[in-house]
């Protein structure tokens, strides 16, 4: 009996040692895949946008991403250019990603028949229009910049809020007051603040993903109420980055220690792609760009 108890004790202690060792070996560093503005449709090129090419470009990117050990991949909005049927060409390619995958809503994702707008989320495997993910001591906040917009406000309440913000901004007529941009509702901003508070309490670092920029060298593509979001971010030292698409030319600026990185659009140019892997280490964000996307090393606070 004594011997059996001793064996049991030995098994328990071996098990607990192993789990402790596993915790110690858990890598702090992890990598994700990032694609912006795949913007596929079976359409002829317009300007620098080669819509049909996005099918093979997305497949190529997925093949490369599937060869790597990724925490997840994220598409930063405008998965299609227009027509609901466009999803049927690119969604199966995206869904073949082995790691977890997430979508951010872009303005073009709503360029479908009005009767189909309410099933766009389902088609993109989204349970909520905006949401958060907690991974390895990071809180990633995924925004919906179409919450208030001419194309994506789907309830009467949101349409009214859209009209009032549009009217209010019309008085000063800023360069970003265009119908292909959008804004964050009061409800979403309150939710963002709640997420930031949680991150602060849990000692987590915070990164934002949105289709629309909140800050950059030019303002034309910015969220309508980007100033409200920046004022909120300014109160939280835990915010480290803001990743977006929408402006296909891309760009990078730093503001109060926060990295604002606009990824280039995959759909642009006749013969080159654009996407990235992003490695999060203890003290840096390392962007490994493919095609037109530049590689960068961004220091964390
Ligand atoms: Zn866009």
């Amino acid at each position: 009996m004594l011997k059996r108890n001793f064996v049991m004790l030995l098994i328990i202690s071996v098990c607990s040692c192993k789990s402790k060792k596993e915790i110690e070996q858990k890598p702090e560093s992890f990598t994700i895949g990032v694609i912006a503005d795949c913007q596929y449709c079976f359409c002829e090129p317009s300007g620098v946008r080669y819509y049909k090419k996005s099918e093979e470009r997305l497949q190529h990117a997925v093949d490369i991403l599937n060869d790597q050990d990724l925490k997840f991949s994220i598409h930063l909005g405008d998965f299609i250019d227009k027509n609901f049927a466009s999803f049927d060409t690119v969604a199966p390619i995206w869904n073949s990603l082995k790691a977890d995958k997430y979508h951010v809503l872009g303005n073009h994702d709503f360029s479908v028949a009005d009767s189909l707008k309410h099933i766009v989320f389902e088609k993109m495997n989204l349970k909520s229009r905006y949401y958060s993910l907690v991974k390895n001591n990071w809180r990633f906040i995924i925004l919906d910049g179409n919450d208030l917009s001419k194309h994506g406000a789907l309830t009467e309440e949101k349409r009214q809020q859209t009209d009032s913000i549009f009217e209010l901004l019309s008085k000063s007529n800023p360069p970003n007051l265009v119908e292909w941009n959008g804004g964050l509702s009061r409800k979403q901003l309150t939710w963002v603040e709640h997420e930031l508070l949680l991150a602060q309490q849990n000692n987590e670092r915070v990164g934002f993903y949105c289709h629309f920029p909140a800050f950059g060298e030019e303002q034309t593509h910015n969220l309508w109420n980007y100033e409200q979001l920046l004022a909120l971010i300014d109160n939280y030292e835990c915010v480290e980055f803001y990743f977006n698409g929408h402006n296909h030319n891309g760009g990078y600026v730093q503001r109060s220690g926060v990295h604002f990185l606009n990824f280039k659009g995959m759909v642009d140019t006749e013969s080159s792609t654009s996407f990235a892997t992003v490695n999060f280490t203890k003290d840096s964000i390392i962007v490994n760009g493919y095609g037109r996307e530049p590689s960068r090393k961004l220091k964390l606070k």
Side-chain angles (χ1 to χ4, degrees):
M1 190 64 187
L2 250 178
K3 195 180 171 193
R4 209 176 79 180
N5 281 350
F6 176 74
V7 171
M8 283 302 287
L9 196 71
L10 195 69
I11 290 170
I12 291 166
S13 62
V14 166
C15 288
S16 63
C17 277
K18 195 181 169 210
S19 62
K20 194 179 169 209
K21 204 175 169 194
E22 274 173 357
I23 290 165
E24 280 167 1
Q25 284 177 344
K26 192 175 154 192
E28 282 185 19
S29 161
F30 63 97
T31 306
I32 66 166
V34 180
I35 302 176
D37 298 271
C38 163
Q39 216 166 321
Y40 170 79
C41 75
F42 194 75
C43 311
E44 291 311 309
S46 172
V48 292
R49 297 179 180 184
Y50 285 76
Y51 304 107
K52 286 184 194 168
K53 302 246 178 184
S54 281
E55 182 182 0
E56 63 186 59
R57 283 182 198 168
L58 183 65
Q59 184 63 64
H60 166 253
V62 164
D63 290 344
I64 287 176
L65 296 177
N66 271 343
D67 259 353
Q68 304 187 40
D69 181 19
L70 300 180
K71 196 82 170 166
F72 63 88
S73 287
I74 190 158
H75 185 274
L76 295 173
D78 287 357
F79 193 45
I80 61 160
D81 181 69
K82 57 172 164 289
N83 306 331
F84 196 77
S86 302
F87 283 118
D88 290 332
T89 302
V90 277
I93 302 172
W94 177 254
N95 292 338
S96 71
L97 277 165
K98 289 179 194 158
D100 290 344
K101 44 217 159 273
Y102 302 97
H103 275 294
V104 178
L105 286 167
N107 50 311
H108 279 279
D109 298 318
F110 290 96
S111 294
V112 300
D114 282 348
S115 60
L116 298 171
K117 285 189 179 185
H118 66 285
I119 53 169
V120 163
F121 325 108
E122 199 182 315
K123 200 73 183 169
M124 297 173 85
N125 301 320
L126 288 169
K127 290 188 185 75
S128 311
R129 294 182 60 146
Y130 48 87
Y131 54 99
S132 66
L133 306 166
V134 177
K135 310 269 182 192
N136 289 37
N137 215 39
W138 276 90
R139 182 170 294 259
F140 297 128
I141 301 177
I142 293 89
L143 301 174
D144 174 22
N146 312 278
D147 197 5
L148 303 184
S149 65
K150 299 286 184 185
H151 49 267
L154 304 185
T155 64
E156 197 44 46
E157 186 198 355
K158 294 290 170 69
R159 277 193 281 265
Q160 277 174 10
Q161 273 193 49
T162 299
D163 290 344
S164 41
I165 192 173
F166 206 85
E167 204 176 304
L168 186 75
L169 289 170
S170 299
K171 288 172 187 160
S172 54
N173 201 24
N176 62 329
L177 192 64
V178 287
E179 296 202 357
W180 38 266
N181 287 339
L184 310 174
S185 64
R186 281 188 292 274
K187 195 177 168 193
Q188 188 174 172
L189 284 166
T190 305
W191 171 81
V192 170
E193 176 128 51
H194 177 70
E195 289 290 319
L196 290 169
L197 275 168
L198 274 176
Q200 200 175 50
Q201 280 164 18
N202 300 340
N203 210 17
E204 294 158 345
R205 284 174 156 153
V206 172
F208 283 91
Y209 301 88
C210 183
H211 180 59
F212 305 88
F215 192 71
E217 281 174 355
E218 59 98 70
Q219 289 178 26
T220 325
H221 295 77
N222 280 2
L223 283 168
W224 287 339
N225 51 350
Y226 70 96
E227 283 164 323
Q228 268 181 295
L229 182 67
L230 291 179
L232 192 55
I233 289 175
D234 283 345
N235 296 329
Y236 293 87
E237 185 62 21
C238 51
V239 178
E240 298 277 1
F241 74 84
Y242 184 104
F243 288 172
N244 64 274
H246 194 45
N247 179 355
H248 295 189
N249 294 330
Y252 167 79
V253 282
Q254 197 178 349
R255 177 185 178 276
S256 308
V258 180
H259 304 285
F260 289 83
L261 178 53
N262 187 144
F263 288 83
K264 289 175 187 275
M266 178 178 258
V267 70
D268 279 18
T269 76
E270 190 176 0
S271 56
S272 66
T273 190
S274 191
F275 66 100
T277 58
V278 179
N279 180 224
F280 294 87
T281 71
K282 212 172 176 179
D283 59 3
S284 304
I285 296 172
I286 300 156
V287 179
N288 181 25
Y290 291 82
R292 280 170 285 118
E293 188 60 48
S295 294
R296 311 168 191 265
K297 186 171 181 178
L298 313 172
K299 280 297 229 185
L300 295 172
K301 288 177 193 164

